[in-house]
Amino acid sequence: MTYLTKPKFQHPDLPKNALGYTHRDYEGKISTLCAGCGHDSITAAVVEACYELSIEPHRVAKISGIGCSSKTPDYFLGNSHGFNSVHGRMPSVLTGANLANRDLIYLGVSGDGDSASIGLGQFAHCIRRGVNMLYMVENNGVYGLTKGQFSATADRGSKSKRGAVNSDNAIDLAALALQLGASFVARSFSGDKTQLVPLIKAALEHKGAAFIDCISPCVAFNNHAGSTRSFDYVREHNEAVNHLDFITGREEIKVDYEPGSVELVKQHDGSTLALRKLAKDYNVNNRLAAMSYLLERNAAGEVVTGLLYVDPESDDMHAGMNTVAQPLNSLSDKDLCPGSSALDKINAALR
Amino acid sequence: MPIESVNDFVLRFANVNGSGSASANEMFARAVMRMGIPVSPRNIFPSNIQGLPTWYEVRVSEAGHLGARGGTDFMVAMNPQTWDKDVASIEPGGYLFYDSTKPMPSGKFRDDITVIGVPLTAICNSQYTDPRQRQLFKNIIYVGALSALLDMDVAVLEKLIGEQYKGKEKLIQPNIHALHLGRDYALQHLTCPIGLKLQHSDGVGDRILIEGNSAAALGAVYGGATVCAWYPITPSSSLAEAFTSHCKRLRTDPETKQNRYAIVQAEDELASIGMVIGAAWNGARSFTSTSGPGISLMQEFLGLAYFAEVPAVVFDVQRAGPSTGMPTRTQQCDLINCAYASHGDTKHILLLPEDPAEAFEFGATAFDLADRLQTPVFVMLDLDIGMNQRLCRPLRWDDSRVYDRGKVMTAAELEAGKDFGRYLDVDGDGIPYRTYPATHPTKGSYFTRGTSRDRYARYTEEGGAYVDNMQRLLRKFDTAKDLVPRPLRANCEKPTRFGVIYFGSTSPAMDEAIAMLSAQGQHLDRLRLRAFPFHHTVDDFISEHDFIFVVEQNRDAQMRSLIVNECGIDPARLIPVLHYDGTPITARFITGAIGDRLDTLKVTPLRKAAS
């Protein structure tokens, strides 16, 4: 980390997006994480994705739990409200926030300790409720802030920095998310920004529960030989199933790739995802196939990345609840209070 | 001698859980109310769905005493499992009503009571072939027999049946038929009426009969709650369920038929309170309902809400603890757990309703207080109020009332350059301004956290900034003292050195106890607490009396501890009166406990006498 304050000075010719904002308008405070931390690359990818989508920063609510990853929402989108809540409980806070105002963009940031150990229950229930959000786990397989204990996503047989071998089985959060009904599931790598940025963009635009498991090596405690979450290991074993170029629906689709190598996935809201296929015969709309592919390649020691599954007909929690279109937090007293005459009738029925 | 009494006795139904007796018993209680006689029914039930014993007690009191009395004058003994205990519990001179289809050995009765046998099973079997019908109509048949024995106005019961099955007209006639089967049998074969009688009166007025949980849920609807997240737990589940049904009726958009509310049955209590906090942070009024074990699970989040200053409303319908305790029995045992919930230095607002009418009022007010004070507010019900129908004044709402959303800075104020410090005490009351997310594109955003921060919400571990913040939170708590419902004081006619402090569901028993004590020549001033933190009038009341009884329904005198702790009172002056066996406190108990102590306290100490 650095102790220098971020300079406010910026180049006058810095490029601007459709809203007239520059990159700087999507940044937050200076990171206090270790130099070289994978999480900072994810932060940069979030900034890039929001900038490219021309999202109004204040329309995003950033919610996190506790841990290194959960600190990162302070480092991007400085004009957004953020909520660094309780360890493992980001999903419930995000769900409540979403219930209150369905119009905002919800970005839940969590880690593998936060989501796979203490918060596994809330992770599961938040996904199965179909909360409209991007739920991103910055997954390093280790507890950073408490100095290097294994997390529940650490692979069986992987070695800690102190040499201990993990004898417990790993939880695959992407596989779990698929089983639990997430309508958008991806895995990526903090070291591969070209893959990660479009995935974040697509997930932010997705209606429903979008989950990204982002492998993010911990340079302080989990970047050594014998670790399966080190930069070197992930680079060597990364098997991407596709490369996503996110294209909004209003624009004409221009594909420069070889015929047959690109898949166009039409979304519910009219937008289209253009996918460059890397794994032959991988079908991004097949939940069952995705689950079995993940398990199969995992057994072979590969880290499968890319857009693993998307449901083009997805919907969210509010649809199931039949809530009014207007955000609940903006309903007036008149909309909410039935008044004295209704109460008189209730009293009469209780006599 | 058989007990003789008009409109003043206790009748108890002993049933088997799941036998369909509840609706017949409730109909009986409501009929008493319709006859203009004050009535107070109570469910005494086990943690079970079917098969175990359950009782329904109906206290009839022309004088209007609504607390549990203790003792039974008339027992409807429908459960062979509890027969011996039920018969033994009848007051001398009381009455035993039973199903005489099978003869009972004479040793199963008592000489000092009147035994009334009606062959309920035989009557049912001669009329119905369907087993479920036989079971359900048996309950209506005994209500019919009671109507003759107690000289009730049968038209009132017939009208109630008509109302109960409105929309299912096919069921009205069979039920009225069953009612008359029982009534006619009693009139033909038994001496009617007995010594206990029900006569039309005008003691009810415009009062209503409603469960506390339903009233509290209605309070949440009127108070503007839009988000409810909960996890099922006795005795609070019916609160969230009542909110659901009230909302369906009162909160559906008339045009789109869409819901102006969102209710989530969460995966546990941790998620429930998390959702409440998330929603409230985002500007929606939200609440959860739970009981003691749920409060234990919510501790960490409650500390976050206190420290990060997020409003939250928690209805705690208390039951006997610790651990699973007696989940279907009443107590006031979560006071300390709620008042000081979470780790670190925390203090929370508690509201203490005495009955459903106040549960409604406080249920609505809790949302104003939570928004005004930006902190969790607990509405402390208990099983006795929550799960029993209680006669109370009608629910009232002032249509000119406007929700107090507290200090929320608007986009216009931010745009005008108003200084926004999320934890900045601009008014000296300890309450800072907050902004809802997405208020303004470039101003007013902040990062909410459970870790220490400065007045502008910037992370800091500086001791000075931490202490500054903690002191402001104390100032805010002081501000709360004048905002929460004030205690209510009632002085006795003569000056007295003795006072009594009580709260919540103890109220009706205390009213009656005061009258009983007064009849014995023992006079006390009384103060009913309605909220924590305590208003200064609590200190005044204590300083004006030498000894104060603190009556509560828990083992450890939790309210007394709160008073000692918060008001700095010498514990020797606060005499605990504790009732905690899981049954509702009675006037008899209070009168006994206070009466005995008063006699000893009135003895002039030796030292004083000698000097």
Side-chain angles (χ1 to χ4, degrees):
Chain A
M1 66 171 283
T2 171
Y3 296 97
L4 297 174
T5 30
K6 216 172 206 174
K8 296 221 187 289
F9 176 78
Q10 63 182 55
H11 196 281
D13 296 335
L14 220 54
K16 290 180 174 152
N17 65 12
L19 292 173
Y21 286 133
T22 68
H23 257 96
R24 296 300 296 272
D25 296 311
Y26 292 87
E27 291 174 0
K29 295 215 163 59
I30 285 273
S31 169
T32 61
L33 300 173
C34 310
C37 178
H39 296 357
D40 284 334
S41 310
I42 300 175
T43 293
V46 171
V47 168
E48 177 68 26
C50 292
Y51 166 80
E52 287 180 16
L53 284 174
S54 294
I55 286 174
E56 294 176 281
H58 73 294
R59 305 293 301 170
V60 180
K62 314 167 290 185
I63 302 173
S64 61
I66 294 289
C68 292
S69 55
S70 291
K71 292 167 85 169
T72 64
D74 208 12
Y75 315 143
F76 57 79
L77 303 184
N79 282 325
S80 304
H81 275 63
F83 197 159
N84 191 183
S85 66
V86 177
H87 197 20
R89 315 295 173 213
M90 172 278 279
S92 64
V93 175
L94 189 150
T95 303
N98 188 305
L99 290 170
N101 184 355
R102 61 189 297 174
D103 282 357
L104 301 188
I105 296 164
Y106 292 92
L107 173 53
V109 178
S110 181
D112 38 315
D114 205 51
S115 279
S117 289
I118 189 169
L120 188 62
Q122 293 213 345
F123 161 79
H125 290 277
C126 181
I127 297 280
R128 63 175 266 272
R129 283 192 186 98
V131 180
N132 189 17
M133 63 179 172
L134 163 53
Y135 190 130
M136 184 150 62
V137 169
E138 304 187 354
N139 184 352
N140 56 19
V142 77
Y143 283 82
L145 277 179
T146 53
K147 304 195 183 227
Q149 299 84 1
F150 282 122
S151 86
T153 62
D155 285 318
R156 185 175 188 150
S158 65
K159 232 185 235 172
S160 79
K161 199 175 178 183
R162 289 180 193 150
V165 176
N166 180 29
S167 57
D168 296 344
N169 291 309
I171 290 173
D172 184 337
L173 289 170
L176 260 184
L178 283 168
Q179 194 277 319
L180 292 163
S183 44
F184 180 108
V185 180
R187 180 178 285 139
S188 190
F189 173 44
S190 64
D192 187 355
K193 203 173 167 185
T194 56
Q195 183 193 46
L196 181 57
V197 172
L199 285 173
I200 292 175
K201 285 166 70 179
L204 287 171
E205 296 270 295
H206 180 78
K207 186 177 185 186
F211 177 71
I212 299 178
D213 177 19
C214 191
I215 311 289
S216 174
C218 173
V219 290
F221 296 107
N222 208 7
N223 198 29
H224 48 270
S227 160
T228 58
R229 292 286 180 277
S230 66
F231 277 109
D232 289 346
Y233 184 93
V234 179
R235 282 204 184 97
E236 275 167 35
H237 297 81
N238 189 347
E239 288 297 328
V241 291
N242 49 35
H243 187 276
L244 172 67
D245 291 331
F246 182 74
I247 302 171
T248 64
R250 283 164 231 98
E251 291 170 27
E252 195 191 338
I253 299 161
K254 287 178 191 157
V255 185
D256 300 333
Y257 317 119
E258 274 178 47
S261 68
V262 169
E263 185 178 7
L264 298 176
V265 183
K266 194 101 178 144
Q267 298 262 85
H268 202 42
D269 64 354
S271 62
T272 303
L273 304 179
L275 284 168
R276 252 184 296 141
K277 295 178 89 163
L278 300 176
K280 212 174 141 227
D281 301 330
Y282 190 86
N283 180 355
V284 80
N285 295 138
N286 189 330
R287 188 186 296 274
L288 293 180
M291 290 170 76
S292 112
Y293 187 83
L294 267 191
L295 291 176
E296 188 188 301
R297 301 322 301 162
N298 186 43
E302 290 177 6
V303 181
V304 177
T305 60
L307 178 57
L308 304 174
Y309 173 74
V310 63
D311 176 1
E313 297 296 320
S314 68
D315 221 328
D316 83 327
M317 174 176 65
H318 283 282
M321 295 181 125
N322 192 32
T323 31
V324 287
Q326 190 183 345
L328 295 178
N329 71 352
S330 69
L331 293 173
S332 68
D333 290 21
K334 208 172 142 278
D335 294 328
L336 300 174
C337 186
S340 63
S341 61
L343 202 53
D344 291 342
K345 280 185 203 146
I346 292 168
N347 283 322
L350 294 166
R351 290 194 176 108
Chain B
M1 273 296 288
I3 301 171
E4 301 251 340
S5 177
V6 177
N7 292 356
D8 188 12
F9 54 88
V10 174
L11 185 142
R12 183 182 267 238
F13 299 90
N15 298 102
V16 179
N17 219 2
S19 65
S21 57
S23 60
N25 297 348
E26 273 179 40
M27 189 197 298
F28 174 81
R30 197 165 284 272
V32 176
M33 181 188 70
R34 288 279 180 93
M35 289 176 69
I37 315 162
V39 63
S40 181
R42 280 184 171 77
N43 289 294
I44 300 110
F45 61 99
S47 182
N48 167 260
I49 299 301
Q50 199 177 45
L52 286 187
T54 176
W55 294 269
Y56 187 76
E57 180 183 291
V58 179
R59 181 175 186 189
V60 181
S61 170
E62 176 83 41
H65 298 310
L66 301 177
R69 189 199 72 178
T72 300
D73 303 314
F74 191 113
M75 177 69 72
V76 181
M78 300 299 294
N79 188 355
Q81 245 182 308
T82 57
W83 174 274
D84 292 342
K85 251 178 129 178
D86 290 338
V87 171
S89 71
I90 299 169
E91 299 274 308
Y95 302 82
L96 169 68
F97 177 98
Y98 79 110
D99 180 354
S100 61
T101 305
K102 279 187 190 162
M104 294 287 277
S106 59
K108 287 284 184 188
F109 299 109
R110 271 168 52 185
D111 297 336
D112 61 339
I113 57 173
T114 305
V115 177
I116 304 163
V118 174
L120 296 169
T121 306
I123 298 173
C124 268
N125 290 358
S126 69
Q127 294 280 328
Y128 309 102
T129 50
D130 177 59
R132 186 66 184 157
Q133 276 190 337
R134 282 179 174 173
Q135 192 178 39
L136 291 178
F137 283 125
K138 192 194 279 184
N139 304 318
I140 301 293
I141 291 170
Y142 69 60
V143 171
L146 288 181
S147 76
L149 291 163
L150 303 172
D151 199 21
M152 286 174 84
D153 182 352
V154 73
V156 170
L157 283 161
E158 288 172 346
K159 189 157 180 269
L160 276 170
I161 289 175
E163 289 171 20
Q164 186 169 339
Y165 296 107
K166 204 174 172 201
K168 299 175 197 163
E169 267 71 17
K170 269 196 288 185
L171 293 173
I172 296 176
Q173 263 320 308
N175 274 283
I176 288 180
H177 177 66
L179 185 76
H180 281 278
L181 283 174
R183 183 176 173 84
D184 293 348
Y185 180 91
L187 288 172
Q188 284 162 27
H189 299 92
L190 304 169
T191 313
C192 292
I194 56 168
L196 305 178
K197 293 181 195 65
L198 291 169
Q199 284 177 6
H200 275 283
S201 172
D202 56 1
V204 170
D206 66 347
R207 282 186 284 180
I208 58 169
L209 196 60
I210 184 173
E211 284 179 7
N213 281 352
S214 179
L218 207 49
V221 174
Y222 275 76
T226 51
V227 174
C228 163
W230 67 292
Y231 187 74
I233 181 171
T234 305
S236 76
S237 304
S238 59
L239 201 160
E241 284 165 350
F243 183 72
T244 310
S245 56
H246 293 322
C247 279
K248 271 185 190 153
R249 210 151 33 107
L250 301 166
R251 279 277 193 77
T252 305
D253 186 304
E255 280 159 32
T256 63
K257 304 292 174 210
Q258 288 176 320
N259 301 331
R260 290 173 176 155
Y261 60 92
I263 300 166
V264 179
Q265 186 189 315
E267 57 269 32
D268 54 30
E269 284 89 345
L270 287 81
S272 304
I273 189 69
M275 288 177 201
V276 169
I277 289 168
W281 172 77
N282 212 356
R285 293 192 152 187
S286 57
F287 75 95
T288 185
S289 63
T290 188
S291 191
I295 300 289
S296 294
L297 286 167
M298 294 175 186
Q299 296 283 310
E300 188 181 19
F301 255 131
L302 289 167
L304 173 78
Y306 173 80
F307 196 57
E309 298 181 69
V310 183
V313 173
V314 179
F315 291 92
D316 177 8
V317 190
Q318 298 166 92
R319 67 187 212 186
S323 188
T324 315
M326 293 197 287
T328 61
R329 308 291 159 154
T330 195
Q331 269 188 5
Q332 300 172 321
C333 55
D334 297 339
L335 301 172
I336 289 179
N337 195 20
C338 291
Y340 301 133
S342 205
H343 53 276
D345 293 323
T346 56
K347 288 171 195 264
H348 303 287
I349 315 291
L350 314 183
L351 306 183
L352 308 162
E354 64 164 348
D355 68 359
E358 232 174 40
F360 171 78
E361 283 167 27
F362 292 2
T365 302
F367 293 94
D368 280 354
L369 286 170
D371 271 355
R372 168 60 45 185
L373 293 161
Q374 299 175 24
T375 199
V377 174
F378 294 84
V379 185
M380 305 297 287
L381 297 153
D382 61 23
L383 185 143
D384 189 35
I385 302 175
M387 289 189 73
N388 289 314
Q389 295 189 318
R390 182 70 47 83
L391 199 61
C392 58
R393 64 184 183 281
L395 312 179
R396 300 258 182 256
W397 187 261
D398 176 0
D399 286 325
S400 66
R401 182 168 166 174
V402 176
Y403 297 152
D404 177 9
R405 302 272 181 176
K407 297 186 189 179
V408 181
M409 207 174 276
T410 62
E413 287 169 322
L414 290 165
E415 192 58 45
K418 200 167 169 183
D419 185 24
F420 174 67
R422 175 63 185 97
Y423 300 107
L424 188 64
D425 184 6
V426 281
D427 303 319
D429 56 4
I431 308 171
Y433 273 83
R434 63 175 178 145
T435 52
Y436 298 151
T439 296
H440 189 281
T442 55
K443 296 182 172 78
S445 72
Y446 67 98
F447 200 64
T448 305
R449 44 163 61 96
T451 39
S452 188
R453 66 280 149 144
D454 65 11
R455 293 171 176 183
Y456 288 86
R458 289 174 299 225
Y459 178 78
T460 176
E461 290 176 21
E462 289 291 332
Y466 172 82
V467 170
D468 175 64
N469 185 57
M470 291 300 278
Q471 286 297 320
R472 181 182 55 74
L473 285 169
L474 267 189
R475 279 204 299 285
K476 188 168 85 165
F477 203 63
D478 269 340
T479 301
K481 291 176 181 173
D482 282 320
L483 296 180
V484 298
R486 302 236 169 134
L488 296 179
R489 179 171 176 164
N491 287 348
C492 60
E493 286 165 13
K494 298 170 191 165
T496 173
R497 294 161 54 208
F498 303 103
V500 59
I501 287 178
Y502 65 103
F503 58 94
S505 66
T506 302
S507 227
M510 179 58 68
D511 292 344
E512 188 180 355
I514 287 288
M516 286 163 80
L517 286 164
S518 170
Q520 295 172 20
Q522 292 173 312
H523 302 286
L524 298 108
D525 294 336
R526 59 189 147 143
L527 187 76
R528 179 162 73 86
L529 301 175
R530 300 201 300 161
F532 176 81
F534 305 120
H535 190 248
H536 71 81
T537 48
V538 176
D539 304 68
D540 298 346
F541 182 81
I542 294 171
S543 66
E544 287 167 26
H545 298 87
D546 292 346
F547 293 100
I548 295 99
F549 295 93
V550 184
V551 183
E552 49 190 316
Q553 301 181 50
N554 58 64
R555 186 193 69 178
D556 290 346
Q558 297 186 23
M559 185 59 84
R560 179 173 170 271
S561 297
L562 290 178
I563 296 169
V564 168
N565 199 27
E566 297 292 327
C567 306
I569 304 292
D570 175 4
R573 292 176 54 216
L574 299 181
I575 304 160
V577 176
L578 307 170
H579 180 93
Y580 60 96
D581 67 2
T583 62
I585 195 167
T586 63
R588 287 178 184 179
F589 173 86
I590 298 171
T591 309
I594 292 184
D596 291 352
R597 285 304 297 269
L598 269 180
D599 289 339
T600 54
L601 287 169
K602 274 179 182 163
V603 173
T604 314
L606 268 181
R607 252 181 306 141
K608 208 171 180 180
S611 64

